[in-house]
Amino acid sequence: MVWDILLDALRSSVLVTGLVVVMMMLIECVNIDSQGSLLGGLKRSRFTQVLFSALLGVIPGCMGGFASVSLYTHGVISFGALVAMMIASSGDEAFMMLALIPRQAVWISLVLLALAVVTGILVDLFIHPGAPRKLCQAQYSIHEEDVVSEKHGHHDGQAAGRHLSWKRALMFLGVVVFIAALLGGLLEHEHGHGEGGHEGFNLLSEEWMYWMFGALSLIVIGVLIWGSDHFVEEHFWHHIVVRHLPSVFCWTFGVLLIVGALLQFVDISSWISENTALMILLAAAVGIIPESGPHLIFVTLYASGIVPLPVLLASCISQDGHASLPLIAESKRTFLLAKSLNVILAVAVGFAASLL
């Protein structure tokens, strides 16, 4: 049992950390290629930030959430935009809702998107928590060497210098191994499959997103091969690998290890009651857990007709799967504040919906 908990926490930590790191590398590539105009344009409009982050949150799974957290910790999007993502995101539970209750899942996603945008705008108007203490000071910045390199083409090795260093080789090997493990199914969640295991390509599973992400990761591979020494070492190695990777992995592994151990001794399903008010409070409270899995019970209970829609709605608002795990590594204060707002909104919307 202990070995299973350790192995599951390690597998999920590698998955989360790998997705976050590759996502940050892709953002760096886009930012440099656009000479900062794309992220700079995003910074100029709070509404655009909130809408963009909410749309990322609506994407099934946690990848869009990872991107929003990365953009927030680098000062690109506002706190309200971060809260909007956390409201709109349902994590991996979105896949199960699409499979079990597809029509309701679409409507729930639209409701979450609307709530996320409105709440994000209101948060930016009235709540100013300031920058998180661990906000990355490097941000997604453009260096003089990047401008020179761009004038000679996309990270031209002859213009800016390109050599096979051990850092470049290590990152290349790491990304290749991660993609192979991702596409090989070695990092998939246990709850992501049915009893029969793999049965071909399923559009309503995480598999298609892993393949899409693997394809996008080829951009990172290309940059690691042809990128300039400055870009690879400053933007990839020093900014992402050295600064972010260790903290994201350690905090993710620690949190998942504790959660996995607790779930072995706490049977959440035994708390089920016919009292709708209690179930709304329970759904909002369980949403604090930064993990995909415990929340699945509310999806299955609703699909079985045991609990009403307000309970599922409260669960979807409160929880965001693994998406907020990297935020714990960067700023625990911001995580607690954002989660508190999510839980309060989940309870309020849940009770309001039950009255209707």
Side-chain angles (χ1 to χ4, degrees), residues 1-13 249-265 290-291 322 325:
M1 180 182 294
V2 175
W3 173 252
D4 291 335
I5 295 174
L6 285 171
L7 185 61
D8 189 59
L10 179 62
R11 181 172 58 243
S12 296
S13 299
F249 176 81
C250 291
W251 275 101
T252 300
F253 181 72
V255 170
L256 291 180
L257 192 62
I258 294 173
V259 170
L262 289 176
L263 291 177
Q264 290 294 324
F265 302 99
E291 166 70 280
H322 293 101
L325 272 175

Side-chain angles (χ1 to χ4, degrees), residues 3 8 15 26 80 86 90 130 135 147 150 162 179 203 215 238 245 276 278 301 318 338:
W3 173 252
D8 189 59
L15 173 65
L26 288 172
M86 295 175 70
S90 297
L135 182 68
V147 177
E150 279 294 314
R162 182 180 68 228
I179 294 175
L203 186 61
H238 291 295
L245 189 151
T276 300
L278 179 61
L301 288 174
S318 179

